Amino acid sequence: MSKVVKFGGSSLANAEQFKKVGDIIRADETRRYVVPSAPGKRFKDDTKVTDMLYACYDLAEAGKDFKKELQAIADRYREIINGLKLDLKLDDEFQTIEKNFKAGAGSNYAASRGEYLNGIIMAAYLGYEFIDAATVIFFDEDGNFDAGKTNRVLSKKLAKCDRAVVPGFYGSMPDGTVKTFSRGGSDVTGSIVAKAARVDVYENWTDVSGFLIADPRIINGPEKIEVITYRELRELSYMGATVLHEDAIFPVRQEGIPINIRNTNAPEDSGTWIVGSTCQKSRYVITGIAGKRGFCSINIEKDMMNSEIGFGRKVLQAFEENGISFEHVPSGIDTMTVFVHQDEFMHKEQKVVAGIHRLVQPDSIEIESDLALIAVVGRGMKSMRGTAGRIFAALAHANVNVKMIDQGSSELNIIIGVADDDFEAAIKAIYDIFVVTKL
Ligand code: ASP
């Protein structure tokens, strides 16, 4: 049995948090590979080290003095090292960083130093080997993650190392320069390491005890999700539920390795398990609810549209030509509606409308803004009758007007479009009916 354990920024924000992490790792000897983030916020209005690094590099790039800002970053690490009573000095590392900043090493390099330095401290604290991610995680010429090369090199390296720390968030380009994943990318590194080491579990330690059924900013104290499948998670994270980086699913999914989301501040909690498939039923018919605001619908009407071959393609072409991606396209006999992100669509609106006129000569086009989409997700819905009925009864009861319904063919989710103003009431009504009253 072996595990990869990834710790997020808040789990490593100061020496006290580092100690909790040390205790967690030492409590289970199968926790062999550790992937740390950079130190995060110590309190609400604090600044993450990654953000300090970006800001510091901006100064360097503009040719301004950045000594004070770099010193503030060095202080964050010194505080951790002293608090852990480690015999470790990062002076040489900071000299190199300063030199590279002056030489224009790039903001990717700058940001990556947060994880790099935290990895050095973590390795010293645990007595584990330190592996610089730049030597084992690779991007190709186009800047895309090179899964093949990474897996070859990394699995070979890990086979020779019993216990190691691999800093998250970055790797290297074919020319050796450092490149990072997008923000929150240490989750991705954890998944890549888990795949390469073929571990049994990828533990992702953060500051919450797992995924919640609904957003706690909308539902007061929502219940936790015990087990969720990768596919369900994809649907929910796409719709705004954030705990894990979207791309973190893919490497472990290919190997069938489960992810266990855990809380560094409450290690006794079992957290949420993310798995490929499971025979475990979720406690409720639905697994989770998530949603996003800020959509527009473009409703196109044309008599006899149903018999016009290529109509849908041409409508979507008008969006494509303007670089706008669509979210949902519910259609009727003589109508077709396209849901898009309002901020993407707004400033290109008239161009798209003109394009639709040119391409399909519709009878009318109507645009509605300030819409929200809500996804009700659950593997249990497939085998249950009346789920949609219950959702819509609850929404009607809460006085919410439903503007769009879209059930994916997988029967894994039902997407509902409502007015922005009804967004919270709709989520509350759905949570209530399935979780609180368990109807
Ligand atoms: N430190 C990086 C960030 O703040 C990456 C991570 O924490 O996963 O985005």
Side-chain angles (χ1 to χ4, degrees):
M1 175 94 169
S2 61
K3 293 176 182 168
V4 164
V5 283
K6 180 259 166 182
F7 291 89
S10 60
S11 302
L12 300 167
N14 56 24
E16 212 178 301
Q17 289 298 89
F18 252 83
K19 284 181 192 161
K20 288 186 196 168
V21 166
D23 290 345
I24 289 167
I25 295 170
R26 291 187 194 105
D28 179 350
E29 59 170 29
T30 66
R31 293 182 172 134
R32 289 171 49 197
Y33 301 112
V34 182
V35 176
S37 279
K41 294 184 181 192
R42 292 160 295 181
F43 43 87
K44 193 167 157 276
D45 294 324
D46 198 14
T47 311
K48 288 176 164 197
V49 165
T50 308
D51 292 313
M52 295 169 86
L53 284 159
Y54 278 124
C56 184
Y57 187 73
D58 281 349
L59 291 174
E61 202 177 23
K64 295 192 182 132
D65 182 48
F66 59 92
K67 264 212 152 57
K68 203 173 90 231
E69 285 71 15
L70 195 60
Q71 187 55 48
I73 297 166
D75 288 346
R76 293 275 320 250
Y77 288 104
R78 198 165 34 88
E79 192 185 299
I80 296 172
I81 292 172
N82 291 346
L84 297 176
K85 299 195 170 57
L86 289 178
D87 182 22
L88 177 70
K89 287 237 169 338
L90 295 178
D91 298 354
D92 291 352
E93 295 290 350
F94 272 96
Q95 265 172 25
T96 309
I97 291 171
E98 187 179 344
K99 197 178 85 216
N100 289 339
F101 273 27
K102 283 184 179 151
S107 63
N108 274 248
Y109 165 80
S112 75
R113 297 305 87 184
E115 272 66 12
Y116 170 79
L117 296 169
N118 233 16
I120 292 178
I121 298 177
M122 179 65 90
Y125 181 49
L126 296 172
Y128 280 23
E129 183 172 337
F130 173 76
I131 301 175
D132 183 355
T135 64
V136 286
I137 294 200
F138 304 104
F139 294 88
D140 64 19
E141 301 285 351
D142 302 323
N144 296 318
F145 170 58
D146 188 339
K149 183 175 172 194
T150 299
N151 204 51
R152 264 195 318 278
V153 176
L154 184 57
S155 50
K156 225 186 198 163
K157 174 83 190 166
L158 295 177
K160 283 188 264 155
C161 270
D162 198 36
R163 294 172 186 276
V165 174
V166 186
F169 194 36
Y170 71 94
S172 60
M173 294 287 288
D175 67 0
T177 53
V178 166
K179 181 172 164 53
T180 61
F181 292 105
S182 57
R183 294 299 302 264
S186 298
D187 284 342
V188 185
T189 308
S191 185
I192 292 166
V193 174
K195 174 181 162 146
R198 297 235 162 143
V199 294
D200 302 277
V201 182
Y202 169 24
E203 285 181 350
N204 188 295
W205 292 79
T206 172
D207 53 6
V208 289
S209 291
F211 284 100
L212 300 172
I213 294 183
D215 188 338
R217 286 165 300 186
I218 299 173
I219 304 292
N220 202 356
E223 286 196 32
K224 187 190 77 180
I225 300 173
E226 301 285 337
V227 182
I228 184 169
T229 65
Y230 293 130
R231 286 177 63 208
E232 288 175 311
L233 180 66
R234 224 43 211 113
E235 302 285 349
L236 287 175
S237 15
Y238 184 69
M239 273 306 213
T242 52
V243 168
L244 193 70
H245 191 293
E246 263 197 291
D247 297 341
I249 295 176
F250 302 108
V252 282
R253 186 178 181 169
Q254 286 161 1
E255 296 293 321
I257 299 168
I259 307 174
N260 187 197
I261 306 286
R262 299 287 290 267
N263 188 350
T264 300
N265 304 318
E268 61 289 349
D269 289 355
S270 59
T272 295
W273 283 91
I274 308 166
V275 300
S277 61
T278 174
C279 63
Q280 278 196 50
K281 294 211 172 58
S282 42
R283 205 164 342 142
Y284 308 104
V285 177
I286 60 163
T287 304
I289 314 163
K292 276 198 223 169
R293 297 173 194 263
F295 290 95
C296 262
S297 69
I298 298 92
N299 186 24
I300 301 123
E301 268 197 60
K302 186 176 185 186
D303 282 347
M304 306 291 289
M305 164 210 282
N306 60 326
S307 56
E308 198 176 319
I309 291 173
F311 187 92
R313 178 182 54 75
K314 287 182 216 155
V315 167
L316 294 179
Q317 186 183 332
F319 289 87
E320 185 182 349
E321 282 172 358
N322 287 289
I324 297 171
S325 68
F326 66 89
E327 288 292 308
H328 291 279
V329 190
S331 63
I333 303 174
D334 296 326
T335 65
M336 174 171 167
T337 308
V338 184
F339 276 78
V340 293
H341 287 275
Q342 198 155 319
D343 54 356
E344 265 180 46
F345 176 71
M346 229 156 56
H347 54 281
K348 294 182 182 159
E349 169 191 271
Q350 294 310 317
K351 273 191 173 165
V352 176
V353 170
I356 298 173
H357 276 287
R358 172 172 50 83
L359 290 159
V360 297
Q361 296 89 39
D363 296 336
S364 71
I365 298 180
E366 248 177 64
I367 299 175
E368 194 171 349
S369 59
D370 300 323
L371 298 173
L373 293 176
I374 295 169
V376 185
V377 176
R379 57 190 182 279
M381 297 196 312
K382 202 169 178 167
S383 52
M384 281 293 288
R385 243 170 288 178
T387 310
R390 266 175 284 169
I391 294 174
F392 298 116
L395 292 176
H397 201 70
N399 255 329
V400 171
N401 181 24
V402 174
K403 303 211 170 251
M404 192 268 299
I405 305 166
D406 191 352
Q407 172 168 336
S409 47
S410 60
E411 288 186 63
L412 191 71
N413 64 347
I414 296 178
I415 312 274
I416 302 147
V418 299
D420 253 357
D421 288 345
D422 286 336
F423 182 63
E424 298 200 352
I427 290 184
K428 280 191 187 119
I430 298 167
Y431 184 85
D432 220 48
I433 200 91
F434 288 104
V435 183
V436 182
T437 54
K438 287 193 214 162
L439 270 180

